[in-house]
Amino acid sequence: MPQCGFSARVVQALQSEGVDFASVNVLDYPQIREGVKKFSQWPTIPQLYINGEFIGGCDIILSMHESGELGNALSEEKVEDGTQ
Amino acid sequence: QSSSTFPVANSIESKLKNQLDPIHLEVLNESHMHNVPKNSETHFKVIVVSDVFNTVKMPLQRHRKVNEILKDELDGPVHALSIIAKSPSQWKTMQDKGIEIAKSPNCKGGDGSLPPR
């Protein structure tokens, strides 16, 4: 699990959605830690991307998880991939 | 809290007041919940209720707006920023229903390395 409480909550949300996901521990990669903030024009980490699109940080992901929006966004992604 | 003791909190509060004219604003220093020295100003939660959010509706856009207002703080000492951004009617609904703001997650220790500034 991540060493950051905010990142850990996002990971927990994704795990409870039951999806496969890739992650990068930016503490191991300082260039990614700074580069991803420039890429998304978002100042903090964690950052969630679905199909290359920046979705948000911890507050947004947890709120989407609670409302069911995160599940919807993830299952749309599954349908696009043709896997389910 | 005097501004000289907590300049970052003071700056955050005045920028949000000036630019969003909020009907409700809380600037909460959560640094004590994290692996940083006492009296740090590195981790904040802001609760901001403003008519601006009547037209800026999507959470991502609201957060981007707040991030932009607090750009200097985020480029500087602020390492984490939790944002609760609501329109006045959304806030009223939350109050009427007794919906509380979720507590920020506990620190998992980090690795002691805030990014170099």
Side-chain angles (χ1 to χ4, degrees):
Chain A
M1 281 298 266
Q3 291 164 265
C4 162
F6 299 100
S7 293
R9 289 286 293 276
V10 171
V11 165
Q12 281 167 359
L14 292 172
Q15 287 171 339
S16 79
E17 294 283 353
V19 291
D20 289 332
F21 61 94
S23 64
V24 173
N25 182 358
V26 299
L27 295 176
D28 293 334
Y29 300 100
Q31 286 177 320
I32 297 181
R33 188 176 186 177
E34 295 314 305
V36 75
K37 295 176 192 175
K38 291 197 175 80
F39 177 78
S40 57
Q41 288 289 289
W42 185 265
T44 50
I45 288 173
Q47 298 192 2
L48 178 67
Y49 294 79
I50 298 177
N51 199 27
E53 182 188 347
F54 176 66
I55 304 300
C58 180
D59 294 321
I60 290 175
I61 299 308
L62 292 188
S63 156
M64 287 174 72
H65 177 55
E66 256 173 73
S67 71
E69 277 177 85
L70 185 60
N72 289 342
L74 293 166
S75 56
E76 279 170 17
E77 174 52 25
K78 278 187 201 161
V79 170
E80 281 171 21
D81 272 354
T83 60
Q84 222 153 356
Chain B
Q1 285 185 359
S2 73
S3 60
S4 57
T5 320
F6 296 103
V8 179
N10 202 60
S11 176
I12 290 174
E13 184 173 336
S14 73
K15 284 182 183 180
L16 291 176
K17 274 188 179 159
N18 288 341
Q19 303 213 30
L20 296 177
D21 192 26
I23 63 160
H24 181 79
L25 175 65
E26 293 177 56
V27 177
L28 306 168
N29 184 346
E30 300 196 317
S31 310
H32 62 278
M33 292 167 64
H34 295 271
N35 187 10
V36 291
K38 192 166 146 62
N39 291 331
S40 287
E41 293 199 280
T42 50
H43 297 67
F44 284 88
K45 184 195 261 338
V46 297
I47 301 170
V48 53
V49 182
S50 164
D51 279 321
V52 170
F53 300 133
N54 293 336
T55 44
V56 181
K57 296 186 186 194
M58 296 307 294
L60 188 60
Q61 304 320 316
R62 289 177 177 179
H63 286 217
R64 285 200 182 282
K65 195 158 189 70
V66 172
N67 288 342
E68 186 58 35
I69 292 168
L70 301 178
K71 186 179 193 318
D72 291 341
E73 286 74 15
L74 286 158
D75 280 344
V78 175
H79 171 73
L81 181 64
S82 169
I83 300 171
I84 312 291
K86 301 290 178 187
S87 68
S89 61
Q90 285 175 327
W91 184 245
K92 182 173 191 313
T93 302
M94 287 173 71
Q95 310 250 274
D96 290 347
K97 291 186 177 175
I99 297 174
E100 292 189 359
I101 303 295
K103 193 168 164 310
S104 289
N106 289 329
C107 183
K108 297 275 189 182
D111 73 346
S113 80
L114 296 191
R117 298 295 175 192

